[in-house]
Amino acid sequence: MQSKYDFIVIGAGYTGLAAARRLAELNASASILVLEAGVVGEGSSARNSGFVIALPHNTNMSGHISPAEVAQKQIRVYDGGLRWLKGLVDLYQIDCGWNPKGKYHGAATAEGAISLQNTARQYDKWGVPYQEISQAQLSERLGTQYYRYAIQTNSNIFMQPAALIRGLADNLPANVTLVENCPVLSVEQGREQGVLTAQGLIRGGKIIVANNGFARKLGFLKDRMFTIFTYAAITPELDAQQLALHGSEPEWG
C-alpha cells in the first residue's frame, strides 16, 4: 500500500466498488485505493435479500415534472445499471446464481389488493409489463393461499449477494488496490488531505465516502442518515417432500 493515491474510496460494498471501477475506466493511469473495514462479503452488501430491483419505489417527490417522467427516467437508469452489472457477471464468470425470474407483489387483504391494482395502473402509464395472478394461481405456484391477488413483473434479478460482491472485488481493474481489515479512523482535510488508519495517514487527491451508515462515524450526514437492522430465519435444508409444499416455482420472491 502506497502513502498517496489519486483517489481513495472508503467502503468496499456495491457503491464503493462501482465507484472505484468507474474511476479506473475513466482514467486508466489514476491510482485508486479502496479501504474496507472488514472483509468483502461479510457486511451488509452480502446479506441483503438477493434482489436486484429495476423498478422505482417512490416517484411522488418529483419536483416540477410528473411522476411518470421521473419513473421512466429512473427505469432507464436502472436498465443501464443492470446491463452493466450483467456484463461484469458474464465477463468474469461470477457464479452468483443470476436469475432474471422477476418477482411477485402479493396482497393478503382486500385493501392490499386494491392498492396493488392501483400500482398496476401506474405500471400501465410507465410502460412496465406485468401479469395479474389470481389466488388459485398463486396457491399452485407458491404453495400458499395466504395471498389473494398479485402482480408479477420481470423487472427483477435474483442473485446470491455474497458471491456477487466477492466476484466484483476479485476482478477489479489493475489500477485499483483493495485493502481489507483496514478501518478508516478519520478523514483529514487541508494540506494533508487523506484518511487516517491504524497504519497511518494515507493521502488522497480525492476521497469518496461510500460506507453508508458508517459515514456518520466519520462526521458526515449526521442528521440525514440512520441505520436499519433486519433479520432472517434460516431453516435446515428441506427434502423433496417439503420442497413440494412450496409450489411449482423452483425459485421465487
Side-chain angles (χ1 to χ4, degrees):
M1 187 165 55
Q2 304 166 192
S3 60
K4 184 177 181 180
Y5 290 83
D6 294 316
F7 298 94
I8 297 175
V9 179
I10 303 173
Y14 290 108
T15 303
L17 293 185
R21 184 179 297 278
R22 188 59 180 149
L23 287 169
E25 290 175 349
L26 293 173
N27 189 347
S29 63
S31 58
I32 302 162
L33 174 66
V34 181
L35 295 175
E36 168 57 39
V39 175
V40 175
E42 293 188 358
S44 58
S45 293
R47 299 181 183 185
N48 63 59
S49 300
F51 290 84
V52 182
I53 299 174
L55 281 178
H57 289 293
N58 186 355
T59 59
N60 293 325
M61 298 174 65
S62 56
H64 62 282
I65 58 178
S66 73
E69 288 178 276
V70 173
Q72 288 163 355
K73 180 179 179 180
Q74 291 179 356
I75 289 169
R76 289 194 297 271
V77 172
Y78 295 151
D79 181 64
L82 265 181
R83 286 187 281 108
W84 184 64
L85 185 58
K86 182 59 163 63
L88 295 175
V89 169
D90 290 343
L91 176 63
Y92 299 116
Q93 298 183 338
I94 300 174
D95 185 10
C96 61
W98 187 277
N99 183 2
K101 184 67 177 176
K103 68 179 184 299
Y104 292 94
H105 301 254
T109 66
E111 293 83 0
I114 292 172
S115 177
L116 265 184
Q117 288 163 355
N118 290 334
T119 298
R121 304 294 82 80
Q122 196 173 45
Y123 286 171
D124 288 332
K125 295 179 182 178
W126 296 354
V128 174
Y130 63 88
Q131 287 184 314
E132 294 183 277
I133 313 296
S134 69
Q135 185 175 37
Q137 290 172 310
L138 287 169
S139 179
E140 188 275 328
R141 294 184 186 188
L142 311 185
T144 177
Q145 294 185 345
Y146 179 71
Y147 301 103
R148 64 172 62 195
Y149 171 80
I151 56 178
Q152 184 183 27
T153 65
N154 293 323
S155 302
N156 176 78
I157 308 294
F158 292 124
M159 53 81 190
Q160 211 294 338
L164 178 59
I165 193 69
R166 286 171 178 151
L168 293 171
D170 288 341
N171 294 281
L172 288 168
N175 57 328
V176 178
T177 300
L178 169 64
V179 179
E180 299 172 293
N181 293 314
C182 187
V184 172
L185 305 178
S186 64
V187 175
E188 306 298 319
Q189 301 183 40
R191 291 183 61 186
E192 294 295 312
Q193 176 173 294
V195 298
L196 182 64
T197 73
Q199 287 75 35
L201 178 68
I202 307 170
R203 297 177 62 190
K206 292 186 178 181
I207 300 169
I208 297 176
V209 180
N211 59 347
N212 296 330
F214 295 104
R216 296 188 346 181
K217 295 185 178 295
L218 299 177
F220 301 100
L221 304 174
K222 286 187 174 182
D223 61 345
R224 302 179 68 85
M225 184 177 290
F226 60 90
T227 55
I228 297 175
F229 295 87
T230 58
Y231 300 87
I234 300 176
T235 72
E237 185 173 354
L238 304 182
D239 60 31
Q241 184 177 5
Q242 292 169 323
L243 284 173
L245 299 175
H246 289 267
S248 61
E249 292 275 27
E251 183 175 13
W252 57 268

